[in-house]
């Protein structure tokens, strides 16, 4: 891989991370608010564990795709 290819991949990864962070900040709190209103606030720990698992699997997939 050339320096330019690596530099381009870093920029693309940064943009994807930024978009995912923004989407998560906008959607996750209202989604849990709906869950808490209709079911129970006690679901917060499993909800957070589920989000952690999704992030870990996403990271694993990104590392596999990027060859890291």
């Amino acid at each position: 891989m050339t320096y330019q290819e690596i530099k381009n991949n870093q920029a693309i990864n940064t943009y994807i991370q930024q978009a995912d962070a923004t989407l998560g900040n906008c959607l996750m709190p209202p989604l849990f608010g709906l869950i808490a209103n209709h079911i129970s606030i006690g679901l917060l720990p499993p909800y957070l564990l589920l989000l952690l698992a999704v992030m870990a699997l996403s990271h694993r997939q990104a590392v596999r795709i990027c060859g890291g």
Side-chain angles (χ1 to χ4, degrees):
M1 211 180 239
T2 67
Y3 174 76
Q4 189 62 32
E5 289 173 335
I6 292 171
K7 190 174 178 181
N8 287 340
N9 285 339
Q10 288 174 344
I12 290 168
N13 288 336
T14 301
Y15 295 139
I16 290 171
Q17 289 173 351
Q18 186 76 28
D20 288 345
T22 302
L23 187 63
N25 282 332
C26 292
L27 295 180
M28 292 303 128
L31 176 63
F32 183 73
L34 288 173
I35 293 169
N37 282 338
H38 293 293
I39 301 173
S40 170
I41 190 84
L43 290 176
L44 182 60
Y47 178 78
L48 294 176
L49 285 173
L50 176 66
L51 292 178
L52 180 64
V54 169
M55 287 190 292
L57 291 173
S58 297
H59 177 264
R60 186 176 179 186
Q61 185 70 14
V63 167
R64 188 178 330 158
I65 289 171
C66 293

